[in-house]
Amino acid sequence: MPPSYISDLNTPLLHLSNSDPWRVRDAMEHLAVIGASGSGKTSGSGQLVAHAFLRAGFGGLVLCAKQDERERWQRYAAECGRERSVIVMDGSGARRLNFLEYEMARQEDGQAVIFNLVHLLLHVLDVAEGRKTGDQREEPFWRNATGELLSHGLDMLWTAYGRITLDELFELIHTRPTSAEQKDNAKWQQASFWHATIEACRHAPAKPI
């Protein structure tokens, strides 16, 4: 059955009893499926709700904690005529999300909000290193210095190229000058992505300051 893309909030997705519909409106709130291991949470209630969502044309993000979770949801999608809706993101890198570009695209004026991007990156770094954001064990000096470095780097990339990628951010940081003499050295300038970026900011900015 092809998806119907239900938009009426009062449309029933499931009937828990003859007089108790579970509506689209209800699905916009929290849902908890509780039971002991092996009680059928996934194969029973979970499958029923998943099919209801898919048939109604819902989209969503499925985080696969179990090894067979991906195959299960691909089967669900096929059973509901939604196999072409599935986008698999895995370690192969075939599908990727530039979360920095995504964050920039959310801004109403189309401009990058560097402050938000810096905090997003700092949060990602915390998660990657197993820290909680704002961990008091970290010296404020180093966190502030990291934030300042990211702020200047993101601002340069956005001004020069109108885009921000992690690869270019890393290259910008790694090729920055380490002395005033190096900054003025012609040989260094030819090989430095930082120099090319600052020149683009000065003479041909994609996003004028």
Side-chain angles (χ1 to χ4, degrees), residues 125-139:
L125 289 171
D126 286 337
V127 172
E129 296 179 6
R131 289 197 309 264
K132 293 182 179 180
T133 300
D135 193 332
Q136 297 300 314
R137 293 174 298 176
E138 183 182 17
E139 287 288 341

Side-chain angles (χ1 to χ4, degrees), residues 9-200:
L9 294 179
N10 292 315
T11 303
L13 291 172
L14 298 170
H15 284 85
L16 305 179
S17 70
N18 291 334
S19 59
D20 190 12
W22 192 61
R23 303 162 299 172
V24 174
R25 184 184 305 278
D26 301 317
M28 301 299 171
E29 301 177 1
H30 295 294
L31 170 66
V33 179
I34 301 172
S37 298
S39 62
K41 297 187 297 296
T42 299
S43 59
S45 304
Q47 178 174 317
L48 192 66
V49 171
H51 275 72
F53 285 168
L54 289 165
R55 287 196 303 268
F58 282 25
L61 173 66
V62 179
L63 303 177
C64 300
K66 299 179 180 179
Q67 290 186 351
D68 59 347
E69 194 75 14
R70 167 182 165 182
E71 290 75 14
R72 178 182 297 112
W73 275 89
Q74 287 178 310
R75 186 179 75 252
Y76 290 168
E79 292 168 351
C80 298
R82 297 288 303 278
E83 58 265 48
R84 295 185 63 185
S85 299
V86 177
I87 299 175
V88 177
M89 299 187 70
D90 55 22
S92 69
R95 299 273 188 176
R96 292 179 288 179
L97 171 67
N98 186 332
F99 61 90
L100 297 176
E101 284 188 353
Y102 173 82
E103 181 64 24
M104 286 186 293
R106 298 195 312 120
Q107 311 307 321
E108 292 183 1
D109 61 358
Q111 295 295 313
V113 178
I114 301 302
F115 178 82
N116 290 345
L117 294 180
V118 169
H119 280 267
L120 175 61
L121 276 173
L122 288 174
H123 180 68
V124 170
L125 289 171
D126 286 337
V127 172
E129 296 179 6
R131 289 197 309 264
K132 293 182 179 180
T133 300
D135 193 332
Q136 297 300 314
R137 293 174 298 176
E138 183 182 17
E139 287 288 341
F141 171 83
W142 297 113
R143 188 171 186 84
N144 292 339
T146 302
E148 185 176 0
L149 178 64
L150 291 173
S151 177
H152 292 321
L154 293 170
D155 215 358
M156 284 176 62
L157 290 173
W158 180 246
T159 300
Y161 309 118
R163 66 175 186 269
I164 295 174
T165 68
L166 286 178
D167 288 347
E168 289 183 336
L169 179 61
F170 291 148
E171 187 174 1
L172 184 76
I173 292 171
H174 289 153
T175 61
R176 70 191 188 281
T178 57
S179 67
E181 292 76 16
Q182 187 180 50
K183 179 178 68 68
D184 297 326
N185 183 281
K187 184 176 180 180
W188 172 85
Q189 291 176 355
Q190 292 178 356
S192 171
F193 179 66
W194 185 94
H195 178 75
T197 301
I198 201 68
E199 288 298 295

